[in-house]
Amino acid sequence: MNPKLASEVHEFCTLLALGVYEGNSARFASRLLELRRLLHSAMREGGADQDVIAGVDALYRVLRRNDLPVAFMTNGCEGESVRSFQVAIAEQGEIRSMKSFTAAVDAQNAAEQEYYTRAWPGSVVLLLAKLSDGKLIACDSARVEIRKNGRT
């Protein structure tokens, strides 16, 4: 890891730790957002550091999940003949993992867990419904990204 990136990762982790220790995860929000943008940019460049950046970003999302909530809803597939639900992670349009669930609430919880803990920056977590005719339709989705308003 190059020294500049190592320094950014170190500062990012230290500020996260301080926020948790002090019970005020929003205290360093602006600097964490700035560092997170830098880390996401470094990740887009590729290289061996992607695993480290993805792991640090997952910690950020989990530690800030009360401040930056993401909820998956099944409203988008209401009224359909749903047989089961699928939770998938897609990267660059390709499905990287998929899990099946019979209960909507289990699928919603799993989608949130995948979003916060396993999805990489830039990937999309999909909550899908499998219909009785075998078709898959999208109920909801969330991309792991930094939005303009600073939220994940």
Side-chain angles (χ1 to χ4, degrees):
M1 180 175 291
N2 75 53
K4 181 180 182 291
L5 183 58
S7 177
E8 290 168 350
V9 167
H10 178 265
E11 182 182 0
F12 190 78
C13 291
T14 300
L15 292 178
L16 279 175
L18 282 168
V20 170
Y21 183 79
E22 295 174 355
N24 184 2
S25 61
R27 178 173 173 210
F28 305 106
S30 62
R31 179 62 180 151
L32 283 167
L33 180 59
E34 182 181 335
L35 288 165
R36 190 170 182 234
R37 282 189 174 112
L38 292 170
L39 295 175
H40 278 219
S41 178
M43 190 171 182
R44 283 191 295 272
E45 295 170 8
D49 305 324
Q50 288 182 333
D51 288 340
V52 172
I53 296 168
V56 167
D57 196 72
L59 283 171
Y60 173 86
R61 291 190 308 265
V62 168
L63 293 173
R64 303 274 333 267
R65 78 187 247 198
N66 291 332
D67 301 324
L68 307 168
V70 172
F72 288 84
M73 307 304 286
T74 57
N75 301 353
C77 47
E78 281 184 7
E80 300 289 342
S81 178
V82 177
R83 184 171 57 189
S84 63
F85 294 92
Q86 308 284 322
V87 173
I89 298 177
E91 292 176 23
Q92 298 174 346
E94 183 179 327
I95 300 294
R96 298 293 183 186
S97 70
M98 188 176 288
K99 298 177 182 179
S100 298
F101 302 89
T102 53
V105 69
D106 293 339
Q108 289 169 304
N109 290 336
E112 287 177 28
Q113 182 179 9
E114 295 292 290
Y115 176 86
Y116 286 112
T117 64
R118 294 197 55 231
W120 281 43
S123 66
V124 178
V125 177
L126 303 160
L127 176 57
L128 307 167
K130 188 169 190 176
L131 305 181
S132 57
D133 64 3
K135 292 180 184 175
L136 281 176
I137 62 170
C139 297
D140 204 357
S141 66
R143 178 178 297 279
V144 178
E145 63 185 348
I146 303 167
R147 298 185 187 137
K148 291 186 187 222
N149 65 0
R151 303 191 72 166
T152 56

